[in-house]
Amino acid sequence: MVGAPLARRTRKRSRPSRIDSVLGYAALGWPAVPGAFPLRRGSRACSCDRLGCPDPGAHPISPAWHLQATTDATLLARWWQLEPEANVILPTGKVFDVFDVPLATGLTALSRLDAEGVHSGPVAANGDRVLFYVATRGNPEDEDEWWSCHLDCDPATIDDTPGLRWHCRDSYVLAPPSTLPTGQPVSWLRTPDGRPLPDPLRILERLTD
């Protein structure tokens, strides 16, 4: 009888805290900013003050998130000490871009990459979506070519693009160990290991195959 509670406590301790994860991202050079978190009580679904929030627990707390995102460990620790349940928002288009695909597509592509011995880069499971972290294209000289890409998207229109989404400049993703409205955590399928992120076009080729 003593062993079971002890095992449960051990499992809980092994789950990374928000602060530990955020500081780990900062060490990789990945800026972060606090996000709203889902509420599982009362009539509100999201910790933000917006009535009928369309994206509960999956958006930054502040509208100035793109300016506030930082790798400053002291500031990050202070934010999450003040709001320990805050989800983790990682801006894209700075250090990395993210390909966001349906679960079945993502798992199939990941298996294929593994079988081919291709470095997939960090890959996260986010509910019914799989997120592939790739090297960012940054700010190309030809802005028209960049923004004409039909895969570019904004988080506000995410429901309008049920297939593959390319999070780049002015976008963001919800990162592990954030919590979804279902109570399910966002989790790593392939953890960041400090290696260079893969070429986005190489991963895109597998995802659209």
Side-chain angles (χ1 to χ4, degrees):
M1 295 296 292
V2 175
L6 179 59
R8 283 197 293 271
R9 289 197 298 271
T10 301
R11 283 196 296 271
K12 286 182 180 179
R13 282 199 299 270
S14 66
R15 187 176 298 170
S17 69
R18 300 285 201 272
I19 289 180
D20 289 342
S21 296
V22 167
L23 294 181
Y25 299 144
L28 291 171
W30 295 8
V33 71
F37 55 91
L39 299 177
R40 292 180 292 279
R41 58 186 181 277
S43 58
R44 290 170 55 202
C46 184
S47 65
C48 73
D49 57 6
R50 183 177 179 182
L51 294 176
C53 175
D55 207 10
H59 61 84
I61 291 175
S62 170
W65 58 270
H66 57 294
L67 299 175
Q68 295 176 342
T70 183
T71 58
D72 185 314
T74 301
L75 183 55
L76 291 167
R78 184 185 309 147
W79 282 341
W80 266 272
Q81 285 165 356
L82 291 172
E83 195 64 82
E85 291 186 82
N87 275 341
V88 182
I89 298 292
L90 299 180
T92 54
K94 293 179 179 290
V95 180
F96 52 79
D97 292 347
V98 170
F99 291 128
D100 173 350
V101 299
L103 182 64
T105 300
L107 295 180
T108 299
L110 185 57
S111 295
R112 183 173 298 175
L113 289 167
D114 288 345
E116 294 174 358
V118 176
H119 174 47
S120 67
V123 182
N126 184 336
D128 61 355
R129 311 288 298 184
V130 174
L131 278 59
F132 290 78
Y133 288 63
V134 297
T136 184
R137 289 185 63 191
N139 297 307
E141 292 182 7
D142 189 343
E143 298 256 343
D144 291 334
E145 178 186 349
W146 176 238
W147 289 110
S148 66
C149 177
H150 72 283
L151 296 175
D152 291 342
C153 75
D154 184 291
T157 61
I158 203 164
D159 291 334
D160 299 329
T161 52
L164 191 151
R165 308 161 189 160
W166 187 338
H167 295 276
C168 50
R169 239 177 355 185
D170 300 325
S171 188
Y172 55 79
V173 291
L174 194 62
S178 298
T179 304
L180 300 170
T182 59
Q184 181 182 8
V186 181
S187 59
W188 288 114
L189 299 176
R190 299 291 184 274
T191 57
D193 57 11
R195 283 190 286 174
L197 296 171
D199 180 341
L201 299 182
R202 189 175 190 187
I203 299 300
L204 180 61
E205 184 178 313
R206 268 69 177 190
L207 295 175
T208 57
D209 190 355

